[in-house]
Each structure stands twice: as structure tokens, then as C-alpha cells.
Amino acid sequence: NAGVTQTPKFRILKIGQSMTLQCAQDMNHNYMYWYRQDPGMGLKLIYYSVGAGITDKGEVPNGYNVSRSTTEDFPLRLELAAPSQTSVYFCASRGQGWTEAFFGQGTRLTVV
Amino acid sequence: AQSVTQPDIHITVSEGASLELRCNYSYGATPYLFWYVQSPGQGLQLLLKYFSGDTLVQGIKGFEAEFKRSQSSFNLRKPSVHWSDAAEYFCAVALYNNNDMRFGAGTRLTVKP
């Protein structure tokens, strides 16, 4: 049981480039989340999804897009990378009811 | 405004000493409360959670936390810290009628030999 899998683990982007951070879970969870973690700031919620086809903005959605075409996958898209998007990105998922959320290992993104 | 506050950015304790990490929240209703631990370069692992009932909850790795409604707090404790407890600790909250989970800024724990 792999849990939550994020790819890639590391990436360096140039300003203005685009990329997609992948997130997949194999626990049949309806709820999925994207967070970014900056030093001293904790985790900030970017987007979340309550099921296939349904997404909603979190605290810091600007500069990002998401889609949820299947229960398993929740990719995060950066269209025009900016240095301010340098961060560690975490994907998480949870089942019905407020049980624990399971986190991926993170993607460390640097925009130069 | 809704918020989660961890007042201590960094705490250093000696191995074998007791530990308390503070967490305060500001929400209209009592939220669901969580403590997560993050080791360097790793994802987050759940230590314990509080939904209702007994206000003292036990978690993994010998940690416990106490919910105090009057103080809007959910402090994490451990009677005797081990070197392997050095990590970053996050308090998180969620509301029953909401779908997201919000995190505090984290407390970094250093353990001295």
C-alpha cells in the first residue's frame, strides 16, 4: 500500500516555465489537498478537492491550478513559475469524516 | 479571524527532560485538533488527534496532548524526550462543517545530549 505518492521529489525551474506536480493516492480517499511549506510559516493550503470533478481554493491559490479527473490523482499546475513559488509542496489525502490526513514525501521546488 | 498559533518557533531541551509544546486556536466552534511531526526531509506523520470525549489523548512515541476548552489550547507533552524526537512539530485544526485543515507555523525541537 503506497499511500500518497508525489513526483518529482526535486525540481529546479526557470522563471516563466511551467510544470505539473503529480500526486496520487491508492486509499480511495475523496479528500485531497495541496499545501506549500515555507520556513517559519508552517503549511499553507493552496487548493483542495472533495471528490472527482470538485476543487476549491485554499489560502494561497494564486499562481496555481488544479484538476481532479479521477479519485486517485490530484495534480498541481504552475503556469508561469516565479521565485515566490520556491517552496516545498505537500500533497495529502483523507477519507470520509475527520480521520487523519496522510501526507506525501513532498516536492522541493526551486525557481531561479 | 480563524487561526492556529504555535508561540514557540524553536525549543531546545536536554535528553531525558520533559517537553511541552504549545498550540492555541481561534475558531468559533471547537475544532478537531491534531499534532503532526515532521522529521528532516520527510512528510508529516500524525502523532495524535482530538475529536471529543476525554480531554487527555495519548499518541504514538509516548506523546500526549491535553485539550483545554477554556484556554483554546491543545498542548503536546512528553515526560522524557529522546534524541530521536528532534523534529518539527505542527499543530493543525479542522472544522466539522469545513473541508480544509489549517496548520500552525510549527515548533522546531532540538534535543541536547
Side-chain angles (χ1 to χ4, degrees), chain A residues 31 33 35 37 40-43 45 48 50 58-59 90 94 98-105, chain B residues 32 34 36 38 41-44 46 49 51 90 94-96 98-105:
Chain A
Y31 298 85
Y33 304 84
Y35 292 89
Q37 182 181 26
M41 301 294 289
L43 280 76
L45 182 65
Y48 65 98
V50 302
E59 299 172 87
F90 286 99
R94 69 171 175 89
W98 270 110
T99 56
E100 71 175 284
F102 293 85
F103 283 80
Q105 294 293 298
Chain B
Y32 298 145
F34 307 81
Y36 282 84
Q38 182 184 32
Q42 301 297 310
L44 281 73
L46 181 71
K49 59 183 182 286
F51 288 173
F90 292 95
L95 290 177
Y96 175 78
N98 212 341
N99 292 312
D100 62 14
M101 178 185 291
R102 302 295 175 101
F103 286 79

mmCIF file of all heavy atoms in Angstrom, chain A residues 31 33 35 37 40-43 45 48 50 58-59 90 94 98-105, chain B residues 32 34 36 38 41-44 46 49 51 90 94-96 98-105:
data_model
loop_
_atom_site.group_PDB
_atom_site.id
_atom_site.type_symbol
_atom_site.label_atom_id
_atom_site.label_comp_id
_atom_site.label_asym_id
_atom_site.label_seq_id
_atom_site.Cartn_x
_atom_site.Cartn_y
_atom_site.Cartn_z
ATOM 1 N N TYR A 31 -11.043 13.143 -0.243
ATOM 2 C CA TYR A 31 -10.481 14.462 0.029
ATOM 3 C C TYR A 31 -8.980 14.475 -0.258
ATOM 4 O O TYR A 31 -8.239 13.627 0.238
ATOM 5 C CB TYR A 31 -10.710 14.858 1.484
ATOM 6 C CG TYR A 31 -12.158 14.975 1.852
ATOM 7 C CD1 TYR A 31 -12.892 13.859 2.230
ATOM 8 C CD2 TYR A 31 -12.799 16.208 1.814
ATOM 9 C CE1 TYR A 31 -14.225 13.965 2.553
ATOM 10 C CE2 TYR A 31 -14.132 16.326 2.147
ATOM 11 C CZ TYR A 31 -14.844 15.193 2.507
ATOM 12 O OH TYR A 31 -16.165 15.302 2.828
ATOM 13 N N TYR A 33 -5.521 17.351 -0.847
ATOM 14 C CA TYR A 33 -5.064 18.695 -0.517
ATOM 15 C C TYR A 33 -3.683 18.948 -1.104
ATOM 16 O O TYR A 33 -2.867 18.036 -1.202
ATOM 17 C CB TYR A 33 -4.971 18.876 1.008
ATOM 18 C CG TYR A 33 -6.241 18.584 1.747
ATOM 19 C CD1 TYR A 33 -6.581 17.286 2.119
ATOM 20 C CD2 TYR A 33 -7.124 19.609 2.074
ATOM 21 C CE1 TYR A 33 -7.765 17.020 2.788
ATOM 22 C CE2 TYR A 33 -8.300 19.354 2.755
ATOM 23 C CZ TYR A 33 -8.617 18.052 3.101
ATOM 24 O OH TYR A 33 -9.786 17.794 3.769
ATOM 25 N N TYR A 35 -0.556 21.607 -0.139
ATOM 26 C CA TYR A 35 -0.007 22.614 0.754
ATOM 27 C C TYR A 35 1.377 23.022 0.253
ATOM 28 O O TYR A 35 2.076 22.242 -0.380
ATOM 29 C CB TYR A 35 0.172 22.057 2.172
ATOM 30 C CG TYR A 35 -1.103 21.748 2.909
ATOM 31 C CD1 TYR A 35 -1.694 20.493 2.808
ATOM 32 C CD2 TYR A 35 -1.702 22.698 3.727
ATOM 33 C CE1 TYR A 35 -2.858 20.200 3.511
ATOM 34 C CE2 TYR A 35 -2.859 22.414 4.429
ATOM 35 C CZ TYR A 35 -3.424 21.155 4.309
ATOM 36 O OH TYR A 35 -4.576 20.878 5.003
ATOM 37 N N GLN A 37 4.982 24.627 2.002
ATOM 38 C CA GLN A 37 5.622 24.848 3.286
ATOM 39 C C GLN A 37 6.820 25.751 3.092
ATOM 40 O O GLN A 37 7.774 25.410 2.392
ATOM 41 C CB GLN A 37 6.086 23.522 3.901
ATOM 42 C CG GLN A 37 6.722 23.690 5.268
ATOM 43 C CD GLN A 37 7.191 22.380 5.859
ATOM 44 O OE1 GLN A 37 7.502 21.425 5.136
ATOM 45 N NE2 GLN A 37 7.249 22.308 7.182
ATOM 46 N N GLY A 40 9.353 28.764 8.699
ATOM 47 C CA GLY A 40 8.733 29.630 9.696
ATOM 48 C C GLY A 40 7.276 29.972 9.428
ATOM 49 O O GLY A 40 6.667 30.728 10.187
ATOM 50 N N MET A 41 6.718 29.412 8.367
ATOM 51 C CA MET A 41 5.334 29.768 8.006
ATOM 52 C C MET A 41 4.388 28.598 8.137
ATOM 53 O O MET A 41 3.190 28.733 7.925
ATOM 54 C CB MET A 41 5.292 30.278 6.561
ATOM 55 C CG MET A 41 6.156 31.479 6.308
ATOM 56 S SD MET A 41 5.571 32.916 7.209
ATOM 57 C CE MET A 41 4.081 33.284 6.320
ATOM 58 N N GLY A 42 4.897 27.440 8.459
ATOM 59 C CA GLY A 42 4.025 26.279 8.521
ATOM 60 C C GLY A 42 3.556 25.876 7.140
ATOM 61 O O GLY A 42 4.184 26.180 6.129
ATOM 62 N N LEU A 43 2.431 25.187 7.094
ATOM 63 C CA LEU A 43 1.869 24.739 5.826
ATOM 64 C C LEU A 43 0.687 25.632 5.473
ATOM 65 O O LEU A 43 -0.207 25.858 6.296
ATOM 66 C CB LEU A 43 1.397 23.291 5.918
ATOM 67 C CG LEU A 43 2.469 22.212 5.799
ATOM 68 C CD1 LEU A 43 3.276 22.103 7.071
ATOM 69 C CD2 LEU A 43 1.837 20.879 5.443
ATOM 70 N N LEU A 45 -2.495 26.142 2.831
ATOM 71 C CA LEU A 45 -3.334 25.386 1.913
ATOM 72 C C LEU A 45 -3.469 26.120 0.591
ATOM 73 O O LEU A 45 -3.867 27.290 0.559
ATOM 74 C CB LEU A 45 -4.709 25.165 2.544
ATOM 75 C CG LEU A 45 -5.710 24.360 1.741
ATOM 76 C CD1 LEU A 45 -5.229 22.928 1.575
ATOM 77 C CD2 LEU A 45 -7.069 24.384 2.431
ATOM 78 N N TYR A 48 -7.813 22.383 -2.542
ATOM 79 C CA TYR A 48 -8.242 21.090 -2.080
ATOM 80 C C TYR A 48 -9.388 20.585 -2.950
ATOM 81 O O TYR A 48 -9.965 21.338 -3.742
ATOM 82 C CB TYR A 48 -8.644 21.110 -0.599
ATOM 83 C CG TYR A 48 -9.855 21.946 -0.269
ATOM 84 C CD1 TYR A 48 -11.108 21.360 -0.124
ATOM 85 C CD2 TYR A 48 -9.743 23.312 -0.048
ATOM 86 C CE1 TYR A 48 -12.220 22.114 0.205
ATOM 87 C CE2 TYR A 48 -10.847 24.077 0.282
ATOM 88 C CZ TYR A 48 -12.075 23.479 0.404
ATOM 89 O OH TYR A 48 -13.170 24.234 0.732
ATOM 90 N N VAL A 50 -12.825 17.719 -2.829
ATOM 91 C CA VAL A 50 -13.662 16.832 -2.011
ATOM 92 C C VAL A 50 -14.131 15.621 -2.794
ATOM 93 O O VAL A 50 -14.898 14.803 -2.277
ATOM 94 C CB VAL A 50 -14.864 17.586 -1.418
ATOM 95 C CG1 VAL A 50 -14.374 18.753 -0.573
ATOM 96 C CG2 VAL A 50 -15.811 18.067 -2.500
ATOM 97 N N GLY A 58 -7.790 27.299 -1.510
ATOM 98 C CA GLY A 58 -7.423 27.406 -0.117
ATOM 99 C C GLY A 58 -6.955 28.811 0.196
ATOM 100 O O GLY A 58 -7.485 29.787 -0.333
ATOM 101 N N GLU A 59 -5.961 28.925 1.058
ATOM 102 C CA GLU A 59 -5.470 30.234 1.497
ATOM 103 C C GLU A 59 -4.637 30.956 0.445
ATOM 104 O O GLU A 59 -4.658 32.184 0.348
ATOM 105 C CB GLU A 59 -4.590 30.069 2.745
ATOM 106 C CG GLU A 59 -5.267 29.465 3.952
ATOM 107 C CD GLU A 59 -4.249 29.177 5.041
ATOM 108 O OE1 GLU A 59 -3.963 30.093 5.846
ATOM 109 O OE2 GLU A 59 -3.721 28.037 5.086
ATOM 110 N N PHE A 90 3.472 19.799 -0.435
ATOM 111 C CA PHE A 90 2.971 18.536 0.098
ATOM 112 C C PHE A 90 1.552 18.289 -0.383
ATOM 113 O O PHE A 90 0.708 19.179 -0.365
ATOM 114 C CB PHE A 90 2.969 18.551 1.628
ATOM 115 C CG PHE A 90 4.335 18.432 2.228
ATOM 116 C CD1 PHE A 90 5.011 19.556 2.679
ATOM 117 C CD2 PHE A 90 4.940 17.197 2.348
ATOM 118 C CE1 PHE A 90 6.271 19.448 3.229
ATOM 119 C CE2 PHE A 90 6.202 17.078 2.903
ATOM 120 C CZ PHE A 90 6.868 18.205 3.337
ATOM 121 N N ARG A 94 -7.391 12.290 2.700
ATOM 122 C CA ARG A 94 -8.076 11.703 3.843
ATOM 123 C C ARG A 94 -9.387 11.108 3.387
ATOM 124 O O ARG A 94 -9.927 11.464 2.335
ATOM 125 C CB ARG A 94 -8.326 12.735 4.943
ATOM 126 C CG ARG A 94 -9.344 13.789 4.602
ATOM 127 C CD ARG A 94 -9.679 14.626 5.835
ATOM 128 N NE ARG A 94 -10.585 15.724 5.505
ATOM 129 C CZ ARG A 94 -11.906 15.639 5.523
ATOM 130 N NH1 ARG A 94 -12.497 14.504 5.868
ATOM 131 N NH2 ARG A 94 -12.651 16.688 5.230
ATOM 132 N N TRP A 98 -13.541 13.187 9.786
ATOM 133 C CA TRP A 98 -12.239 13.766 10.094
ATOM 134 C C TRP A 98 -11.320 12.739 10.758
ATOM 135 O O TRP A 98 -11.055 12.782 11.958
ATOM 136 C CB TRP A 98 -12.387 15.026 10.945
ATOM 137 C CG TRP A 98 -12.496 16.209 10.057
ATOM 138 C CD1 TRP A 98 -13.587 16.962 9.845
ATOM 139 C CD2 TRP A 98 -11.477 16.723 9.209
ATOM 140 N NE1 TRP A 98 -13.297 17.927 8.924
ATOM 141 C CE2 TRP A 98 -12.026 17.809 8.520
ATOM 142 C CE3 TRP A 98 -10.143 16.370 8.972
ATOM 143 C CZ2 TRP A 98 -11.288 18.556 7.597
ATOM 144 C CZ3 TRP A 98 -9.407 17.114 8.051
ATOM 145 C CH2 TRP A 98 -9.991 18.190 7.383
ATOM 146 N N THR A 99 -10.851 11.838 9.965
ATOM 147 C CA THR A 99 -9.771 10.952 10.383
ATOM 148 C C THR A 99 -8.462 11.623 9.995
ATOM 149 O O THR A 99 -8.452 12.748 9.519
ATOM 150 C CB THR A 99 -9.890 9.594 9.685
ATOM 151 O OG1 THR A 99 -9.901 9.813 8.275
ATOM 152 C CG2 THR A 99 -11.177 8.891 10.090
ATOM 153 N N GLU A 100 -7.362 10.961 10.203
ATOM 154 C CA GLU A 100 -6.109 11.628 9.910
ATOM 155 C C GLU A 100 -5.928 11.824 8.420
ATOM 156 O O GLU A 100 -6.475 11.089 7.592
ATOM 157 C CB GLU A 100 -4.930 10.823 10.460
ATOM 158 C CG GLU A 100 -4.654 9.525 9.713
ATOM 159 C CD GLU A 100 -3.410 8.854 10.237
ATOM 160 O OE1 GLU A 100 -2.301 9.318 9.900
ATOM 161 O OE2 GLU A 100 -3.547 7.857 10.959
ATOM 162 N N ALA A 101 -5.152 12.818 8.075
ATOM 163 C CA ALA A 101 -4.744 13.052 6.704
ATOM 164 C C ALA A 101 -3.376 12.405 6.500
ATOM 165 O O ALA A 101 -2.516 12.461 7.371
ATOM 166 C CB ALA A 101 -4.660 14.548 6.411
ATOM 167 N N PHE A 102 -3.210 11.763 5.361
ATOM 168 C CA PHE A 102 -1.940 11.124 5.018
ATOM 169 C C PHE A 102 -1.193 12.025 4.048
ATOM 170 O O PHE A 102 -1.771 12.520 3.079
ATOM 171 C CB PHE A 102 -2.186 9.754 4.377
ATOM 172 C CG PHE A 102 -2.776 8.754 5.320
ATOM 173 C CD1 PHE A 102 -4.142 8.695 5.528
ATOM 174 C CD2 PHE A 102 -1.965 7.869 6.013
ATOM 175 C CE1 PHE A 102 -4.704 7.786 6.407
ATOM 176 C CE2 PHE A 102 -2.506 6.949 6.889
ATOM 177 C CZ PHE A 102 -3.875 6.909 7.085
ATOM 178 N N PHE A 103 0.095 12.200 4.309
ATOM 179 C CA PHE A 103 0.895 13.106 3.516
ATOM 180 C C PHE A 103 1.889 12.374 2.633
ATOM 181 O O PHE A 103 2.405 11.313 3.016
ATOM 182 C CB PHE A 103 1.675 14.056 4.432
ATOM 183 C CG PHE A 103 0.839 15.157 5.004
ATOM 184 C CD1 PHE A 103 0.014 14.930 6.086
ATOM 185 C CD2 PHE A 103 0.866 16.424 4.434
ATOM 186 C CE1 PHE A 103 -0.784 15.937 6.604
ATOM 187 C CE2 PHE A 103 0.086 17.438 4.949
ATOM 188 C CZ PHE A 103 -0.746 17.195 6.027
ATOM 189 N N GLY A 104 2.158 12.971 1.473
ATOM 190 C CA GLY A 104 3.251 12.507 0.645
ATOM 191 C C GLY A 104 4.576 13.000 1.194
ATOM 192 O O GLY A 104 4.618 13.718 2.199
ATOM 193 N N GLN A 105 5.661 12.614 0.529
ATOM 194 C CA GLN A 105 7.010 12.944 0.997
ATOM 195 C C GLN A 105 7.425 14.363 0.623
ATOM 196 O O GLN A 105 8.444 14.858 1.091
ATOM 197 C CB GLN A 105 8.023 11.956 0.427
ATOM 198 C CG GLN A 105 7.826 10.545 0.966
ATOM 199 C CD GLN A 105 8.143 10.457 2.444
ATOM 200 O OE1 GLN A 105 9.257 10.705 2.873
ATOM 201 N NE2 GLN A 105 7.135 10.118 3.242
ATOM 202 N N TYR B 32 -11.645 20.105 15.397
ATOM 203 C CA TYR B 32 -10.879 18.885 15.550
ATOM 204 C C TYR B 32 -9.406 19.298 15.608
ATOM 205 O O TYR B 32 -8.973 20.182 14.868
ATOM 206 C CB TYR B 32 -11.116 17.945 14.384
ATOM 207 C CG TYR B 32 -12.548 17.489 14.247
ATOM 208 C CD1 TYR B 32 -13.098 17.273 13.004
ATOM 209 C CD2 TYR B 32 -13.351 17.274 15.354
ATOM 210 C CE1 TYR B 32 -14.405 16.840 12.853
ATOM 211 C CE2 TYR B 32 -14.653 16.855 15.219
ATOM 212 C CZ TYR B 32 -15.184 16.636 13.968
ATOM 213 O OH TYR B 32 -16.471 16.216 13.836
ATOM 214 N N PHE B 34 -5.167 18.275 15.914
ATOM 215 C CA PHE B 34 -4.166 17.283 15.531
ATOM 216 C C PHE B 34 -2.771 17.797 15.879
ATOM 217 O O PHE B 34 -2.522 18.999 15.853
ATOM 218 C CB PHE B 34 -4.189 17.018 14.019
ATOM 219 C CG PHE B 34 -5.541 16.660 13.459
ATOM 220 C CD1 PHE B 34 -6.466 17.644 13.170
ATOM 221 C CD2 PHE B 34 -5.863 15.346 13.200
ATOM 222 C CE1 PHE B 34 -7.707 17.331 12.639
ATOM 223 C CE2 PHE B 34 -7.097 15.013 12.666
ATOM 224 C CZ PHE B 34 -8.023 16.013 12.384
ATOM 225 N N TYR B 36 1.077 16.848 14.360
ATOM 226 C CA TYR B 36 1.883 16.113 13.408
ATOM 227 C C TYR B 36 3.362 16.364 13.702
ATOM 228 O O TYR B 36 3.736 17.426 14.202
ATOM 229 C CB TYR B 36 1.602 16.577 11.977
ATOM 230 C CG TYR B 36 0.332 16.046 11.378
ATOM 231 C CD1 TYR B 36 -0.893 16.670 11.615
ATOM 232 C CD2 TYR B 36 0.350 14.929 10.548
ATOM 233 C CE1 TYR B 36 -2.057 16.176 11.048
ATOM 234 C CE2 TYR B 36 -0.814 14.432 9.975
ATOM 235 C CZ TYR B 36 -2.007 15.064 10.230
ATOM 236 O OH TYR B 36 -3.157 14.575 9.665
ATOM 237 N N GLN B 38 7.278 16.196 11.805
ATOM 238 C CA GLN B 38 7.974 16.125 10.529
ATOM 239 C C GLN B 38 9.471 15.993 10.792
ATOM 240 O O GLN B 38 10.087 16.923 11.317
ATOM 241 C CB GLN B 38 7.706 17.363 9.690
ATOM 242 C CG GLN B 38 8.365 17.329 8.332
ATOM 243 C CD GLN B 38 8.155 18.609 7.548
ATOM 244 O OE1 GLN B 38 8.067 19.693 8.112
ATOM 245 N NE2 GLN B 38 8.034 18.490 6.235
ATOM 246 N N GLY B 41 13.427 16.395 5.901
ATOM 247 C CA GLY B 41 13.295 15.815 4.570
ATOM 248 C C GLY B 41 12.147 14.837 4.400
ATOM 249 O O GLY B 41 12.043 14.187 3.357
ATOM 250 N N GLN B 42 11.291 14.770 5.407
ATOM 251 C CA GLN B 42 10.198 13.800 5.356
ATOM 252 C C GLN B 42 8.846 14.493 5.293
ATOM 253 O O GLN B 42 8.732 15.702 5.480
ATOM 254 C CB GLN B 42 10.246 12.904 6.599
ATOM 255 C CG GLN B 42 11.531 12.126 6.754
ATOM 256 C CD GLN B 42 11.742 11.157 5.622
ATOM 257 O OE1 GLN B 42 10.850 10.380 5.276
ATOM 258 N NE2 GLN B 42 12.922 11.191 5.018
ATOM 259 N N GLY B 43 7.824 13.688 5.051
ATOM 260 C CA GLY B 43 6.468 14.196 5.129
ATOM 261 C C GLY B 43 6.015 14.284 6.573
ATOM 262 O O GLY B 43 6.813 14.156 7.502
ATOM 263 N N LEU B 44 4.740 14.509 6.774
ATOM 264 C CA LEU B 44 4.198 14.668 8.123
ATOM 265 C C LEU B 44 3.563 13.368 8.598
ATOM 266 O O LEU B 44 2.864 12.688 7.843
ATOM 267 C CB LEU B 44 3.150 15.776 8.144
ATOM 268 C CG LEU B 44 3.669 17.205 8.178
ATOM 269 C CD1 LEU B 44 4.257 17.614 6.840
ATOM 270 C CD2 LEU B 44 2.561 18.159 8.598
ATOM 271 N N LEU B 46 1.149 11.708 11.701
ATOM 272 C CA LEU B 46 0.221 12.037 12.778
ATOM 273 C C LEU B 46 0.704 11.466 14.098
ATOM 274 O O LEU B 46 1.006 10.284 14.207
ATOM 275 C CB LEU B 46 -1.162 11.474 12.457
ATOM 276 C CG LEU B 46 -2.238 11.765 13.492
ATOM 277 C CD1 LEU B 46 -2.620 13.246 13.458
ATOM 278 C CD2 LEU B 46 -3.472 10.897 13.256
ATOM 279 N N LYS B 49 -4.676 12.885 17.865
ATOM 280 C CA LYS B 49 -5.770 13.758 17.455
ATOM 281 C C LYS B 49 -6.819 13.791 18.557
ATOM 282 O O LYS B 49 -6.939 12.873 19.375
ATOM 283 C CB LYS B 49 -6.400 13.275 16.154
ATOM 284 C CG LYS B 49 -6.968 11.862 16.198
ATOM 285 C CD LYS B 49 -7.493 11.465 14.841
ATOM 286 C CE LYS B 49 -8.119 10.064 14.869
ATOM 287 N NZ LYS B 49 -7.112 9.003 14.952
ATOM 288 N N PHE B 51 -11.022 14.647 18.938
ATOM 289 C CA PHE B 51 -12.299 14.974 18.327
ATOM 290 C C PHE B 51 -13.322 15.335 19.403
ATOM 291 O O PHE B 51 -14.051 16.304 19.271
ATOM 292 C CB PHE B 51 -12.824 13.810 17.492
ATOM 293 C CG PHE B 51 -12.065 13.579 16.215
ATOM 294 C CD1 PHE B 51 -12.334 12.477 15.430
ATOM 295 C CD2 PHE B 51 -11.084 14.457 15.780
ATOM 296 C CE1 PHE B 51 -11.634 12.260 14.243
ATOM 297 C CE2 PHE B 51 -10.383 14.252 14.609
ATOM 298 C CZ PHE B 51 -10.662 13.137 13.835
ATOM 299 N N PHE B 90 3.911 20.194 14.281
ATOM 300 C CA PHE B 90 2.858 21.069 13.790
ATOM 301 C C PHE B 90 1.530 20.743 14.456
ATOM 302 O O PHE B 90 1.128 19.578 14.524
ATOM 303 C CB PHE B 90 2.679 20.907 12.277
ATOM 304 C CG PHE B 90 3.838 21.412 11.475
ATOM 305 C CD1 PHE B 90 4.834 20.545 11.066
ATOM 306 C CD2 PHE B 90 3.934 22.749 11.130
ATOM 307 C CE1 PHE B 90 5.914 20.997 10.318
ATOM 308 C CE2 PHE B 90 5.005 23.217 10.388
ATOM 309 C CZ PHE B 90 5.992 22.342 9.981
ATOM 310 N N ALA B 94 -9.193 21.437 12.218
ATOM 311 C CA ALA B 94 -10.192 21.271 11.172
ATOM 312 C C ALA B 94 -11.565 21.466 11.805
ATOM 313 O O ALA B 94 -11.742 21.206 12.993
ATOM 314 C CB ALA B 94 -10.084 19.895 10.547
ATOM 315 N N LEU B 95 -12.484 21.936 10.998
ATOM 316 C CA LEU B 95 -13.849 22.117 11.479
ATOM 317 C C LEU B 95 -14.750 21.059 10.865
ATOM 318 O O LEU B 95 -14.580 20.698 9.699
ATOM 319 C CB LEU B 95 -14.372 23.506 11.121
ATOM 320 C CG LEU B 95 -13.751 24.679 11.872
ATOM 321 C CD1 LEU B 95 -14.316 25.995 11.353
ATOM 322 C CD2 LEU B 95 -14.004 24.551 13.378
ATOM 323 N N TYR B 96 -15.715 20.607 11.624
ATOM 324 C CA TYR B 96 -16.598 19.547 11.160
ATOM 325 C C TYR B 96 -17.321 19.945 9.882
ATOM 326 O O TYR B 96 -17.483 19.156 8.958
ATOM 327 C CB TYR B 96 -17.621 19.207 12.237
ATOM 328 C CG TYR B 96 -18.639 18.202 11.774
ATOM 329 C CD1 TYR B 96 -18.318 16.851 11.708
ATOM 330 C CD2 TYR B 96 -19.917 18.595 11.372
ATOM 331 C CE1 TYR B 96 -19.236 15.919 11.277
ATOM 332 C CE2 TYR B 96 -20.837 17.667 10.939
ATOM 333 C CZ TYR B 96 -20.494 16.335 10.888
ATOM 334 O OH TYR B 96 -21.399 15.410 10.447
ATOM 335 N N ASN B 98 -16.408 22.074 7.685
ATOM 336 C CA ASN B 98 -15.484 22.630 6.717
ATOM 337 C C ASN B 98 -14.646 21.495 6.151
ATOM 338 O O ASN B 98 -14.596 20.411 6.724
ATOM 339 C CB ASN B 98 -14.593 23.673 7.392
ATOM 340 C CG ASN B 98 -14.201 24.775 6.451
ATOM 341 O OD1 ASN B 98 -14.272 24.623 5.244
ATOM 342 N ND2 ASN B 98 -13.766 25.893 7.005
ATOM 343 N N ASN B 99 -14.008 21.743 5.059
ATOM 344 C CA ASN B 99 -13.297 20.655 4.402
ATOM 345 C C ASN B 99 -11.787 20.762 4.474
ATOM 346 O O ASN B 99 -11.092 19.848 4.056
ATOM 347 C CB ASN B 99 -13.717 20.578 2.930
ATOM 348 C CG ASN B 99 -15.151 20.135 2.790
ATOM 349 O OD1 ASN B 99 -15.555 19.170 3.413
ATOM 350 N ND2 ASN B 99 -15.912 20.851 1.988
ATOM 351 N N ASP B 100 -11.296 21.870 4.947
ATOM 352 C CA ASP B 100 -9.847 22.012 4.933
ATOM 353 C C ASP B 100 -9.254 21.863 6.319
ATOM 354 O O ASP B 100 -9.941 21.821 7.316
ATOM 355 C CB ASP B 100 -9.430 23.339 4.284
ATOM 356 C CG ASP B 100 -9.944 24.541 5.050
ATOM 357 O OD1 ASP B 100 -10.392 24.378 6.196
ATOM 358 O OD2 ASP B 100 -9.899 25.644 4.493
ATOM 359 N N MET B 101 -7.953 21.743 6.362
ATOM 360 C CA MET B 101 -7.195 21.604 7.593
ATOM 361 C C MET B 101 -6.147 22.699 7.589
ATOM 362 O O MET B 101 -5.428 22.856 6.602
ATOM 363 C CB MET B 101 -6.525 20.234 7.672
ATOM 364 C CG MET B 101 -5.674 20.017 8.908
ATOM 365 S SD MET B 101 -4.788 18.432 8.903
ATOM 366 C CE MET B 101 -6.133 17.294 9.089
ATOM 367 N N ARG B 102 -6.069 23.445 8.698
ATOM 368 C CA ARG B 102 -5.108 24.546 8.786
ATOM 369 C C ARG B 102 -4.032 24.218 9.811
ATOM 370 O O ARG B 102 -4.318 23.612 10.837
ATOM 371 C CB ARG B 102 -5.823 25.839 9.182
ATOM 372 C CG ARG B 102 -6.938 26.237 8.220
ATOM 373 C CD ARG B 102 -6.418 26.588 6.837
ATOM 374 N NE ARG B 102 -7.494 26.846 5.894
ATOM 375 C CZ ARG B 102 -7.878 28.063 5.534
ATOM 376 N NH1 ARG B 102 -7.286 29.129 6.030
ATOM 377 N NH2 ARG B 102 -8.846 28.207 4.649
ATOM 378 N N PHE B 103 -2.837 24.676 9.513
ATOM 379 C CA PHE B 103 -1.681 24.344 10.333
ATOM 380 C C PHE B 103 -1.101 25.586 11.015
ATOM 381 O O PHE B 103 -1.152 26.690 10.472
ATOM 382 C CB PHE B 103 -0.590 23.717 9.478
ATOM 383 C CG PHE B 103 -0.877 22.307 9.068
ATOM 384 C CD1 PHE B 103 -1.744 22.035 8.019
ATOM 385 C CD2 PHE B 103 -0.285 21.240 9.729
ATOM 386 C CE1 PHE B 103 -2.026 20.734 7.650
ATOM 387 C CE2 PHE B 103 -0.548 19.938 9.359
ATOM 388 C CZ PHE B 103 -1.422 19.686 8.324
ATOM 389 N N GLY B 104 -0.509 25.342 12.177
ATOM 390 C CA GLY B 104 0.304 26.364 12.804
ATOM 391 C C GLY B 104 1.640 26.473 12.091
ATOM 392 O O GLY B 104 1.951 25.684 11.194
ATOM 393 N N ALA B 105 2.456 27.434 12.516
ATOM 394 C CA ALA B 105 3.733 27.683 11.863
ATOM 395 C C ALA B 105 4.792 26.655 12.221
ATOM 396 O O ALA B 105 5.840 26.597 11.597
ATOM 397 C CB ALA B 105 4.231 29.087 12.204
#
